Amino acid sequence: MKNYYLSRTEQEIIRILKSADIVAVEEIRGLFPGLSGNMVKKVLSSLVRKGYLYRLKRGLYLVNEEPGKPLIKNPYKMALTLFPGYIAFSSALRLYDLIEYEPFTIFVATPRKSGEKEIGGYTIKVLALGEKAVGMTIKNGVYTSTLAKTFFDCFYKPSYCGGYSEVTKALYEAEKIDWSEFLRYFKRFASNSLCQRTGYVLELARNLDIEVPEEVIEYMRSMVKTWTKLVPMLPSRGRGVREWKLIDNLGKERILGWAYG
């Protein structure tokens, strides 16, 4: 059986840190200048062993309200503490209240190095977007993609936000999108095929009275060059849409079905 007895020093540290989410060694040293560096190290190791702290990485700890498995109060803040970047894809849609469920995979976009880490029931998935890792703001106290950039990212990698059905549903729920900003990302980063796929889906979305400016549709249409598939990884079975030179191998029902179900 684990020993949860706390020394007087440990009790004082936990009392001070109780309201914190994440704490660094430097902060503890600043709060307790009377403790030597070696003593701070020993106390932190003891608190980790007893379950009051969870070591995220060297010098950084998650504070638990009571001993046991990691209690994550703010998974987005934790994810960005571990992996500097911005909250993206379905996680960003959730921050904007555009999806109903609470994702237990937290997506972080970074310029370099993808990765994955599991902590306390959450999976943090880090995606290296290279030069596309731009367009962020502060939302609910954490760095996240702007709404326009969130939609660009979701069209760029729809599998990370639940697919085109979730994208169109989020478009329907969004109150105001900066379409000029949205278009800037396509002009800067998008391939012809990405523009074709996006233009086709946006045109379908207009059936739901989603107000997509004609300028956006026209730009996407101007990028149509050769035939492509809506979902590159699926077989080439589906309806051929000559205007977009696109094979819809997913189907309108699966893209907009949520609106008619």
Side-chain angles (χ1 to χ4, degrees):
M1 184 174 179
K2 282 191 175 182
N3 176 20
Y4 292 129
Y5 168 79
L6 298 180
S7 69
R8 184 174 297 178
T9 301
E10 290 170 346
Q11 290 178 34
E12 183 64 14
I13 288 178
I14 288 300
R15 185 184 69 80
I16 296 295
L17 300 182
K18 195 171 182 180
S19 61
D21 293 338
I22 298 169
V23 65
V25 171
E26 291 75 12
E27 294 177 83
I28 296 173
R29 287 173 179 164
L31 290 169
F32 299 92
L35 297 179
S36 67
N38 189 52
M39 179 57 74
V40 169
K41 184 177 178 181
K42 287 176 64 176
V43 170
L44 292 179
S45 294
S46 176
L47 289 173
V48 169
R49 190 169 61 253
K50 295 173 182 178
Y52 286 89
L53 297 179
Y54 178 87
R55 187 177 183 272
L56 292 172
K57 63 180 182 180
R58 184 175 182 180
L60 201 64
Y61 299 86
L62 188 69
V63 181
N64 290 331
E65 291 182 351
E66 56 186 50
K69 68 178 183 179
L71 177 62
I72 300 170
K73 302 172 188 175
N74 189 329
Y76 306 105
K77 179 180 178 183
M78 178 195 68
L80 293 182
T81 300
L82 288 170
F83 304 101
Y86 64 82
I87 300 299
F89 301 104
S90 62
S91 303
L93 291 178
R94 178 58 183 160
L95 280 171
Y96 284 106
D97 292 322
L98 297 178
I99 56 175
E100 298 172 355
Y101 60 92
E102 184 68 42
F104 285 92
T105 297
I106 307 299
F107 288 100
V108 177
T110 64
R112 297 173 294 278
K113 198 174 182 181
S114 298
E116 192 170 298
K117 187 176 182 69
E118 293 187 9
I119 299 176
Y122 286 91
T123 298
I124 303 170
K125 193 171 185 65
V126 186
L127 301 166
L129 296 186
E131 64 177 358
K132 297 181 183 68
V134 296
M136 68 187 77
T137 186
I138 295 178
K139 179 72 175 175
N140 296 349
V142 296
Y143 283 108
T144 186
S145 46
T146 66
L147 185 57
K149 184 53 163 50
T150 298
F151 281 115
F152 171 85
D153 288 344
C154 289
F155 276 110
Y156 176 55
K157 297 286 187 183
S159 61
Y160 295 139
C161 65
Y164 288 117
S165 62
E166 287 293 341
V167 178
T168 54
K169 187 176 181 181
L171 283 169
Y172 182 81
E173 296 291 339
E175 292 184 3
K176 187 176 181 181
I177 301 170
D178 187 336
W179 289 104
S180 295
E181 181 190 352
F182 177 81
L183 192 54
R184 284 201 304 271
Y185 297 123
F186 278 87
K187 289 181 177 179
R188 182 177 176 186
F189 298 124
S191 64
N192 292 343
S193 58
L194 176 56
C195 290
Q196 286 170 258
R197 293 193 290 269
T198 302
Y200 172 69
V201 173
L202 288 176
E203 194 165 62
L204 287 182
R206 281 177 154 185
N207 294 327
L208 304 176
D209 295 327
I210 297 173
E211 296 182 1
V212 184
E214 189 61 32
E215 175 190 4
V216 174
I217 298 295
E218 285 304 316
Y219 176 77
M220 302 302 178
R221 192 176 285 118
S222 74
M223 301 302 288
V224 173
K225 305 299 178 186
T226 58
W227 281 86
T228 189
K229 295 187 290 184
L230 180 60
V231 183
M233 300 302 293
L234 291 181
S236 300
R237 293 193 297 270
R239 184 172 70 95
V241 184
R242 186 167 298 279
E243 177 188 1
W244 291 100
K245 288 189 177 180
L246 180 137
I247 299 171
D248 181 355
N249 54 353
L250 189 59
K252 178 180 176 181
E253 295 77 15
R254 293 177 68 181
I255 299 171
L256 302 180
W258 59 268
Y260 307 111

